[in-house]
């Protein structure tokens, strides 16, 4: 008998339309597998909508700020409702790219050199830039779908690019530009599903390249077997470094000098039958409805292990009376 599943879609941010597409694809897949599905449109009053829906589990089909950054996950924890994807802390860490990069370095994972710039510091970006050099990549510090991303090749273009990126969340991340192949790795249940190389005629795999066509996909990537294994190992290590669970997609760059670097971990990647994770799963023999079912089966809560543990009464400690010292 199917579960009562609430598919959370929409949301507050600039990725609302992408989320709605993800949500409808997930709804169709879940219904084809016999589940009772309720569309839950995220926005003001989400807590009341979730309480009244009488759900067994939440399938999060949100992207970007408010949906992917741990806040909705925290609400679901308070409602004691299992949900798909990573928990509160891992979601927040993955969404905050500057913090995630610090953790990558702590775990000896290569990642492009860069720095954070706040909205109030945008005018001083050239001073903060130091010897990072050009070209460089500027993107929102907390965001997804490459919204607000730009490649800056001249010093005079840096401040406007930082100001543009700061429009999405108030902070920008400036990184050294790495030339090479863009590779993304799919992870499901703590194991690598496979990897895909994305070739785009644009300078980077930005929003237009992702959603307006023109890109080509190679499964597996056009790399040696040894190097693909290294890239996939790096991706899994990055996933574990942030404490992720359920599923994710890890983006990396494989430079022309044989150096592979981790860019970011997407804890709730775009998710339709033609999305990158779905392409990787299909290459591994897992069609979209079955992939959705597998993700649903991994739904849980951060505190589930503690809440479900048996209560053990503490053993009383008997203290012997102290003897007088003669």
């Amino acid at each position: 008998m199917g579960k009562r599943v609430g598919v959370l879609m929409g949301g507050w941010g600039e990725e609302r339309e992408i989320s709605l597409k993800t949500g409808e694809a997930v709804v169709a897949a879940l219904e084809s597998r016999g589940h009772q599905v309720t569309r839950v449109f995220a926005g003001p009053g989400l807590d009341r909508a979730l309480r009244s829906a009488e759900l067994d589990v939440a399938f999060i089909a949100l992207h970007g700020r408010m949906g992917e950054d741990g806040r909705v996950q925290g609400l679901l924890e308070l409602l004691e409702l299992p949900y798909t994807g990573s928990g509160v802390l891992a979601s927040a860490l993955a969404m905050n790219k500057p913090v995630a990069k610090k953790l990558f370095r702590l775990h000896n994972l290569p990642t492009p050199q860069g720095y954070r710039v706040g909205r109030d510091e945008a005018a001083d970006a050239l001073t903060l830039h130091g010897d990072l050099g050009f070209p460089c990549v500027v993107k929102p510090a907390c965001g997804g779908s490459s919204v607000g991303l730009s490649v800056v090749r001249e010093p005079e273009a840096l401040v406007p690019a930082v100001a543009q990126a700061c429009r999405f969340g108030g902070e920008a991340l400036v990184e050294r530009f790495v030339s090479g192949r863009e590779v993304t790795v799919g992870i499901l249940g703590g194991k690598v599903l496979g990897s895909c190389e994305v070739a785009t005629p644009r300078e980077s795999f930005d929003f237009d390249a992702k959603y307006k066509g023109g890109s080509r996909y190679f499964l597996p990537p056009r790399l040696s077997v040894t190097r693909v294994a290294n890239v996939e190992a790096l991706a899994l290590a990055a996933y574990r470094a942030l404490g992720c669970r359920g599923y994710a997609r890890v983006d990396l760059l494989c430079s022309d000098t044989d150096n592979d670097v981790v860019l970011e971990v997407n804890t709730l990647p775009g998710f339709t039958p033609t999305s990158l994770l779905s392409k990787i799963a299909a290459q591994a023999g897992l069609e979209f409805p079955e992939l959705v079912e597998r993700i649903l089966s991994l739904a849980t809560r951060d505190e589930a292990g503690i809440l479900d543990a048996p209560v053990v009464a503490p053993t009383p400690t008997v203290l012997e009376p102290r003897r007088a010292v003669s």
Side-chain angles (χ1 to χ4, degrees):
M1 189 172 177
K3 294 181 178 180
R4 297 173 299 176
V5 185
V7 178
L8 277 63
M9 64 176 82
W12 298 259
E14 54 277 356
E15 296 180 65
R16 175 180 171 82
E17 294 305 315
I18 306 302
S19 171
L20 292 174
K21 291 179 180 180
T22 290
E24 291 300 334
V26 169
V27 167
L30 289 172
E31 289 180 339
S32 74
R33 305 283 294 193
H35 296 289
Q36 304 173 51
V37 183
T38 300
R39 293 171 176 81
V40 181
F41 295 97
L46 176 59
D47 59 329
R48 295 189 296 274
L50 287 168
R51 290 179 191 277
S52 63
E54 298 183 353
L55 304 173
D56 295 321
V57 60
F59 196 113
I60 305 179
L62 299 167
H63 303 307
R65 290 182 294 134
M66 294 295 289
E68 198 171 349
D69 57 10
R71 285 184 261 194
V72 165
Q73 289 79 3
L75 172 61
L76 294 168
E77 291 285 346
L78 292 174
L79 296 177
E80 299 185 1
L81 186 63
Y83 55 92
T84 56
S86 291
V88 177
L89 180 58
S91 298
L93 291 173
M95 178 57 68
N96 192 312
K97 295 178 179 66
V99 174
K101 288 171 74 69
K102 290 180 181 179
L103 285 170
F104 295 155
R105 293 193 182 98
L106 183 66
H107 287 80
N108 295 318
L109 300 176
T111 187
Q113 183 182 352
Y115 61 94
R116 185 201 67 84
V117 188
R119 180 186 286 119
D120 57 344
E121 303 170 298
D124 300 321
L126 274 173
T127 301
L128 296 170
H129 198 73
D131 60 356
L132 191 67
F134 295 91
C136 64
V137 178
V138 180
K139 53 190 171 184
C142 299
S145 288
S146 300
V147 174
L149 180 147
S150 57
V151 177
V152 177
R153 297 193 172 277
E154 303 294 338
E156 55 269 21
L158 181 62
V159 170
V162 168
Q164 169 70 8
C166 285
R167 291 181 56 224
F168 305 97
E171 294 184 341
L173 173 64
V174 182
E175 288 183 318
R176 186 184 299 280
F177 180 85
V178 177
S179 177
R181 301 178 189 271
E182 301 205 26
V183 175
T184 190
V185 177
I187 297 175
L188 177 65
K191 297 181 180 179
V192 172
L193 263 179
S195 51
C196 172
E197 178 188 344
V198 181
T200 173
R202 302 174 65 87
E203 284 185 302
S204 63
F205 192 46
D206 59 10
F207 186 89
D208 288 344
K210 286 182 179 180
Y211 300 112
K212 295 185 179 181
S215 297
R216 294 185 298 157
Y217 308 97
F218 299 92
L219 297 97
R222 295 172 296 175
L223 300 167
S224 69
V225 173
T226 301
R227 194 165 181 196
V228 169
N230 178 67
V231 168
E232 292 180 348
L234 280 177
L236 186 58
Y239 172 93
R240 290 172 173 169
L242 300 183
C244 298
R245 68 165 184 243
Y247 72 109
R249 203 193 74 225
V250 184
D251 296 337
L252 306 95
L253 272 172
C254 303
S255 78
D256 302 330
T257 57
D258 291 337
N259 293 318
D260 306 319
V261 295
V262 178
L263 294 179
E264 61 182 275
V265 177
N266 302 279
T267 54
L268 294 175
F271 197 51
T272 68
T274 58
S275 296
L276 291 174
L277 183 63
S278 305
K279 292 179 188 294
I280 292 170
Q283 181 73 10
L286 202 61
E287 295 303 320
F288 188 72
E290 186 179 355
L291 174 61
V292 172
E293 184 74 53
R294 289 276 299 274
I295 290 172
L296 181 67
S297 72
L298 296 169
T300 186
R301 304 200 319 273
D302 280 347
E303 299 299 329
I306 297 174
L307 294 175
D308 296 340
V311 177
V312 179
T315 303
T317 302
V318 179
L319 299 177
E320 295 184 1
R322 297 178 65 182
R323 296 180 180 180
V325 179
S326 57

